[in-house]
Amino acid sequence: MTNFNPTFLKRLKDLGLSHNEHLALRERLAAYADLHPGIAAPATANGFFVFLSTRRFATYAFSFLLVLGVTGGVAAASEGSVPGEALYSIKIHVNEPLMTALAATNVDQAKVAAKIATRRADEAVTLASRGELSAQNQQYLSQEFTKSVAKAADRANKLAESGDTVAAANVQADFAANLAGEAQALGALSNSQTDGQRAATEKMLATVVSTSESVAPDDAGAATAVTVSAVANEDAASTTLTESEAASSTGALKNRSYFRTRFAQHLHVTASTTLKSIFQSQNISNFKTDTAIPAQTTEGGDQNDQLDVRVSE
Amino acid sequence: MDDDEAKEQFLATYDEFASDIFRFCLLKVATREIAQDLTQETFMRYWQQVREGKGVENDRAFLYTVARNLIIDWYRRKKDHSLDALAEGGIEFASDDHRSITQNAEVREVLAVIDKVDDDAREALLLRFVDGLSPKEIASITGDTANAVSVRLNRAIKKVQELMHIHD
């Protein structure tokens, strides 16, 4: 083979980040690192820090705090904390691992996983309501929310595969309803925010909707396997996966489709063209409902900007 | 190593490899904003490894592997018509630092040539001759054997040489 001169390929080195882009991204990553303190050396694996994330540590930490007599107040106070607050680290690194560690049954574990996922969305709602949902917080919460939803879906699927498909369906139904509530809250908040705040809120909303949507597979066959028989109304409790359907489900596919259907049914959002574009970009426009969506005008908008979300029956 | 040292080392790794990872992403997703998002996500995951105390034997290979997997996930989420649109639009590589017209033209020329080789071959060429990875390192990223990468590189080089004769 003749010698190959790669000089011309090296011109592609010009396609890097610009100076400003490099600095801006560096700043975001530095903020992310501050929000997620790490103390392990990059080059060596340190088992102690792996231990910090285990269930055993969570139990020891709780016991230690009990001895100090500070657990009740600190743990309780940390429950309401959000990213950027001093007690948030306790909420994430002590309370939640402890919740997981103390979940004895498969059902409890599925419920806890779903609860933790919902908390991330709820924290975004809290921050957005205070006008404090920064781009960094939104990116962090979006990422953690996506991971948590995947874990929750995994727990629910394991529960279904263990044979308790009805319990799995119930956990997913509650999860879907809670997430829809968070999505509605984000949607409502975004309508009342200034442009600067709205961008972060809408990104978080898009994450909640698209991640919740992605819990179900892209398999159209699985989606049609679930029969939703009740009439769509404000209380979707009457819409259930029947025992025979649950029992006949192949793997977890039908349960995931059930989640998606329940999520969409619970999602009664008030008007926003931005939400409409988010839904359309996520291919959620195929959902249809005959429940009337109240019209709402946003400042500067008009009543033609109505979101028409419908759920199929 | 304490928090500050870990963070300092993390940012030093970022300074060293950010542009390479960004370029790797850009040449696959064609849009600066998406390439930046993927780059950010890649380094966030790298930080997760660092803070959890999980050893990273080869920082560069790890970053490329994560970026590659994120790109694969991104492709899966995109619909076919979006990929076509990207292909039609060409790579959006203009940035905010006012590169010379000549520099942009040279980049376009290179892209026109390597665009004609298949995806795997192009990836190997770029990793080898632009980013300086060895066939073994490339193999660890793509999941192939070093031998397969070497063969792929040889074929890609021949193809590029043929194309360049045509351009001449």
Side-chain angles (χ1 to χ4, degrees):
Chain A
M1 187 185 66
T2 54
N3 284 335
F4 176 64
N5 183 357
T7 306
F8 88 104
L9 279 176
K10 289 195 189 295
R11 292 177 198 163
L12 292 179
K13 280 259 188 207
D14 285 346
L15 284 179
L17 290 164
S18 71
H19 181 68
N20 290 341
E21 287 169 340
H22 184 100
L23 287 179
L25 181 49
R26 193 181 202 277
E27 207 175 295
R28 290 199 294 275
L29 287 169
Y32 180 80
D34 287 335
L35 205 54
H36 301 79
I39 53 179
T44 57
N46 188 324
F48 177 66
F49 300 110
V50 172
F51 171 65
L52 283 182
S53 63
T54 63
R55 240 177 239 193
R56 211 155 30 110
F57 168 72
T59 312
Y60 290 160
F62 186 65
S63 307
F64 176 68
L65 290 171
L66 267 178
V67 168
L68 292 180
V70 297
T71 301
V74 170
S78 71
E79 279 296 289
S81 62
V82 290
E85 292 178 353
L87 292 178
Y88 188 67
S89 190
I90 291 182
K91 181 179 180 182
I92 299 299
H93 296 299
V94 178
N95 292 9
E96 288 180 0
L98 192 55
M99 282 162 59
T100 304
L102 295 176
T105 65
N106 284 343
V107 175
D108 288 342
Q109 286 185 13
K111 285 182 181 174
V112 164
K115 183 174 178 182
I116 289 174
T118 308
R119 279 151 76 100
R120 298 294 84 83
D122 194 56
E123 285 155 13
V125 170
T126 303
L127 284 168
S129 68
R130 294 180 195 169
E132 292 173 7
L133 185 61
S134 65
Q136 287 94 328
N137 282 338
Q138 176 268 310
Q139 281 163 9
Y140 161 71
L141 287 171
S142 290
Q143 185 183 352
E144 294 299 314
F145 173 77
T146 302
K147 280 196 294 194
S148 302
V149 168
K151 273 190 196 162
D154 187 55
R155 288 281 182 202
N157 288 338
K158 282 187 174 139
L159 183 58
E161 284 161 9
S162 71
D164 204 348
T165 49
V166 175
N170 287 337
V171 167
Q172 290 193 305
D174 289 342
F175 187 27
N178 289 336
L179 286 185
E182 302 295 346
Q184 281 178 237
L186 286 168
L189 280 166
S190 76
N191 283 341
S192 59
Q193 287 175 325
T194 59
D195 286 346
Q197 265 296 298
R198 189 181 298 146
T201 306
E202 286 176 352
K203 279 187 179 174
M204 188 69 207
L205 171 61
T207 300
V208 171
V209 172
S210 65
T211 305
S212 305
E213 165 72 5
S214 71
V215 168
D218 286 334
D219 184 351
T224 57
V226 175
T227 304
V228 177
S229 57
V231 175
N233 51 38
E234 284 294 329
D235 174 15
S238 55
T239 306
T240 58
L241 189 68
T242 64
E243 281 205 31
S244 60
E245 284 163 341
S248 68
S249 65
T250 51
L253 288 179
K254 291 191 181 183
N255 279 312
R256 280 190 268 171
S257 297
Y258 176 63
F259 171 93
R260 182 172 69 173
T261 308
R262 294 299 295 268
F263 175 76
Q265 283 184 326
H266 282 291
L267 194 63
H268 300 298
V269 290
T270 52
S272 162
T273 50
T274 307
L275 284 175
K276 184 171 183 178
S277 65
I278 288 170
F279 288 153
Q280 283 174 344
S281 72
Q282 301 296 338
N283 285 331
I284 300 178
S285 56
N286 56 323
F287 289 109
K288 298 180 181 186
T289 182
D290 60 4
T291 302
I293 306 296
Q296 175 176 326
T297 54
T298 57
E299 193 177 321
D302 64 21
Q303 283 199 325
N304 290 329
D305 290 341
Q306 285 190 37
L307 175 64
D308 186 13
V309 175
R310 297 178 177 278
V311 172
S312 60
E313 293 196 327
Chain B
M1 185 181 291
D2 64 13
D3 273 2
D4 288 339
E5 283 173 354
K7 182 182 162 186
E8 201 177 306
Q9 193 152 342
F10 164 66
L11 291 175
T13 303
Y14 166 80
D15 287 334
E16 188 175 354
F17 297 121
S19 265
D20 291 343
I21 298 297
F22 169 77
R23 179 177 50 251
F24 180 73
C25 297
L26 180 62
L27 288 171
K28 288 179 182 282
V29 302
T31 307
R32 286 193 87 82
E33 195 183 329
I34 295 169
Q36 284 183 45
D37 285 348
L38 292 172
T39 304
Q40 179 175 287
E41 180 67 28
T42 300
F43 279 95
M44 278 174 159
R45 294 197 183 196
Y46 173 70
W47 174 247
Q48 288 296 336
Q49 286 288 117
V50 170
R51 68 186 281 260
E52 288 173 15
K54 294 173 185 170
V56 178
E57 216 175 281
N58 184 326
D59 292 336
R60 186 164 66 165
F62 177 83
L63 290 166
Y64 275 106
T65 304
V66 170
R68 194 169 188 271
N69 289 337
L70 287 172
I71 289 165
I72 290 170
D73 289 344
W74 181 81
Y75 271 120
R76 282 194 187 129
R77 287 197 301 272
K78 298 292 286 184
K79 301 302 176 190
D80 284 346
H81 69 272
S82 298
L83 288 174
D84 289 340
L86 283 172
E88 281 169 17
I91 292 180
E92 176 203 308
F93 57 81
S95 73
D96 59 1
D97 62 0
H98 310 295
R99 292 208 173 96
S100 71
I101 294 173
T102 307
Q103 277 175 304
N104 282 340
E106 286 175 350
V107 167
R108 281 187 202 279
E109 193 184 332
V110 176
L111 291 174
V113 171
I114 65 169
D115 194 46
K116 294 184 171 59
V117 300
D118 66 62
D119 290 346
D120 288 344
R122 182 166 56 246
E123 181 181 60
L125 276 177
L126 295 172
L127 289 173
R128 180 80 185 95
F129 296 112
V130 180
D131 296 335
L133 275 74
S134 67
K136 190 178 170 189
E137 284 174 318
I138 297 171
S140 74
I141 292 165
T142 61
D144 299 305
T145 62
N147 222 31
V149 170
S150 294
V151 168
R152 187 176 301 148
L153 276 169
N154 284 339
R155 286 182 185 154
I157 287 168
K158 276 187 191 158
K159 176 75 177 172
V160 166
Q161 284 173 325
E162 283 167 18
L163 290 167
M164 288 176 72
H165 283 311
I166 292 170
H167 266 254
D168 291 342

